[in-house]
Amino acid sequence: MASRSFLRLGERRVKPHGFSIGQLPVLYLLRDGKAMSQRDLARAAKVEQPSMAQILARMERDGLVQRTPMPGDGRSQLVSLT
């Protein structure tokens, strides 16, 4: 119950800035201009890969992140802030 209240409070505080609470770990992890793979972001944020894929898709749609091909691995992409 308290965790839901805290989550709602957090959502109300970040929503006016154009973010959701689920995007905050990605913003924090990429804050220094570095790029990370989706897999590494998911591990560091402690979320499942499909959840991270959805978060990144919304962030890319909103122009917050960009994906670039990972050198040497045609299937993976690096994610960085725009």
Side-chain angles (χ1 to χ4, degrees):
M1 178 110 154
S3 62
R4 270 191 241 158
S5 296
F6 184 69
L7 183 62
R8 283 194 295 266
L9 174 64
E11 282 288 347
R12 283 196 305 264
R13 305 241 6 214
V14 299
K15 192 168 185 162
H17 301 287
F19 304 113
S20 75
I21 203 83
Q23 295 171 335
L24 292 180
V26 175
L27 294 170
Y28 179 79
L29 290 164
L30 300 177
R31 73 191 179 281
D32 294 328
K34 63 182 175 180
M36 294 177 71
S37 70
Q38 177 179 313
R39 174 184 288 152
D40 291 340
L41 285 168
R43 281 186 191 146
K46 297 185 180 4
V47 298
E48 297 292 326
Q49 285 249 19
S51 298
M52 182 56 69
Q54 290 177 346
I55 291 168
L56 293 175
R58 284 191 298 272
M59 292 180 78
E60 187 174 32
R61 177 199 67 203
D62 295 342
L64 299 172
V65 298
Q66 63 183 3
R67 300 180 203 216
T68 55
M70 184 180 286
D73 186 347
R75 296 179 301 153
S76 298
Q77 296 180 327
L78 291 172
V79 179
S80 59
L81 295 176
T82 55

